[in-house]
Amino acid sequence: MLYVDGKWVEEGQAAVNPEDRGYNFGDGIYEVVRIYKGKMYQWDAHLTRLYRSAREIKLELPWSMEELNEIASQLLQKNNISEEDDATLYLQISRGAAPRVHDIPSGIQPVIMAFVRHKARPVADMKKGWTAQLVDDIRWLRCDIKTLNLLGAVLVKQYAKDAGAQESILHRNGTITECSSSNLFAVKNEALYTHPADHLILHGITRQSVIDLAKENGIPVHEKPFDIPFLMQADELFLTSTTAEIMPLISVDGQPIGDGQVGTVVQKLQALFEQHINTNVLV
Ligand code: PDD
């Protein structure tokens, strides 16, 4: 079952208003939340980011955090998500439907939509790593907002896929920002480097968990921009996201990173993350 604009709807029965601004303009926001063994991971952090995205696009959310909590927990119940299940919850809020003009119509009611999908953890991939392709960051200048406008991300991801890689690494004039749907970390001399959480990247929930875990465990973290030569000479690279978790990147544009194997620092972070999930989510 899906939750659509205040109603519970069977799969295949949901309808979109042709003048919904999410549909016409990508005018809306979203979150993707991980469900580990039937339990949501970092739900509060996702809600906080959702409210921030809403504020940044001048969208006033008519739902309290408690109401959104209730929708999410009913969604899990109605879809029989149990302790057996790894899944993702998708929640989107569009600005709503109104005759099509670019400026924001007054009195418009936001439209909420949410569903869950079974999604296995990428266990095998996390052991062997992905390959990546460098590409120009063609997106806009507010990548910190989790907006439905994802065409830039779609095109750069496809660029990587067409080149036979799993993810694209984005750069603006040679400065590395993030990936098409994940954050990027470089490892150099046992320290982590990642772009600061400003307007050029999404402030990833997994990125923050990794930064916290690294610091708690004596791994230095530098949140500062780095360039393409630094990227290519890194000892290790990895990306982070809700669905890909902590994913090693073993080559960029066909050139091996470090010795071209999954590195020891990323393996340590994966182990720490596993422990963290077991103690913080699955209890
Ligand atoms: N993507 N950067 C971008 C551009 C993203 O789209 C995402 C998430 C991330 C990682 O954020 P988090 O750790 O909070 O998932 C970074 C989601 C999963 C998606 O669009 O499917």
Side-chain angles (χ1 to χ4, degrees):
M1 285 203 112
L2 293 78
Y3 188 69
V4 183
D5 200 12
K7 297 183 195 72
W8 293 100
V9 183
E10 292 293 342
E11 289 288 339
Q13 300 299 311
V16 173
N17 184 319
E19 288 185 315
D20 188 299
R21 290 174 64 94
Y23 191 46
N24 293 167
F25 293 97
D27 185 359
I29 52 175
Y30 76 104
E31 284 294 326
V32 180
V33 183
R34 220 340 157 181
I35 294 163
Y36 290 115
K37 296 201 173 21
K39 295 211 170 62
M40 290 191 292
Y41 174 63
Q42 296 267 43
W43 170 244
D44 289 352
H46 283 281
L47 274 190
T48 302
R49 187 170 65 185
L50 183 77
Y51 276 86
R52 177 182 182 276
S53 294
R55 250 191 342 267
E56 295 297 320
I57 68 159
K58 304 180 194 305
L59 170 59
E60 206 179 313
L61 294 183
W63 304 278
S64 65
M65 287 211 182
E66 291 69 33
E67 284 169 314
L68 293 179
N69 272 340
E70 186 54 29
I71 292 167
S73 67
Q74 282 200 35
L75 191 61
L76 299 194
Q77 271 173 33
K78 286 181 193 288
N79 288 283
N80 301 318
I81 298 294
S82 74
E83 284 177 12
E84 312 291 304
D85 297 314
D86 289 330
T88 55
L89 183 156
Y90 178 82
L91 171 69
Q92 88 164 41
I93 295 170
S94 87
R95 196 178 302 275
R100 188 182 179 281
V101 290
H102 282 67
D103 53 313
I104 301 172
S106 55
I108 188 168
Q109 286 305 310
V111 172
I112 188 167
M113 191 270 284
F115 56 78
V116 275
R117 292 284 179 262
H118 286 274
K119 179 126 185 136
R121 299 181 59 194
V123 181
D125 282 8
M126 284 194 287
K127 284 206 180 83
K128 69 177 203 285
W130 280 355
T131 61
Q133 204 70 21
L134 253 180
V135 53
D136 238 348
D137 193 342
I138 57 169
R139 303 171 305 161
W140 71 332
L141 294 172
R142 289 306 307 276
C143 295
D144 55 312
I145 304 174
K146 207 160 167 61
T147 141
L148 300 179
N149 260 297
L150 287 175
L151 197 50
V154 167
L155 292 178
V156 293
K157 177 76 107 187
Q158 190 57 38
Y159 178 88
K161 286 279 155 91
D162 288 345
Q166 282 94 348
E167 179 59 302
S168 45
I169 297 177
L170 312 182
H171 71 91
R172 285 191 195 262
N173 300 318
T175 298
I176 305 299
T177 50
E178 58 175 337
C179 300
S180 76
S181 58
S182 51
N183 292 114
L184 184 78
F185 285 82
V187 181
K188 191 78 191 169
N189 300 328
E190 316 266 300
L192 305 188
Y193 293 80
T194 193
H195 196 284
D198 60 13
H199 62 292
L200 296 180
I201 68 161
L202 187 77
H203 305 181
I205 309 279
T206 324
R207 172 186 180 280
Q208 193 57 50
S209 296
V210 166
I211 290 174
D212 294 345
L213 281 172
K215 287 183 176 167
E216 283 160 24
N217 288 279
I219 301 172
V221 182
H222 305 288
E223 291 184 69
K224 59 179 202 188
F226 55 85
D227 59 11
I228 295 174
F230 186 89
L231 173 91
M232 299 308 290
Q233 285 150 29
D235 299 330
E236 303 177 30
L237 293 177
F238 64 90
L239 60 79
T240 61
S241 84
T242 292
T243 47
E245 304 193 11
I246 300 176
M247 185 63 70
L249 296 173
I250 54 172
S251 75
V252 178
D253 290 0
Q255 291 185 43
I257 296 301
D259 61 4
Q261 309 289 316
V262 174
T264 51
V265 175
V266 70
Q267 281 173 345
K268 175 160 187 205
L269 289 166
Q270 286 175 332
L272 289 168
F273 190 69
E274 200 67 38
Q275 245 173 39
H276 161 75
I277 299 171
N278 285 321
T279 48
N280 290 282
V281 190
L282 306 180
V283 286

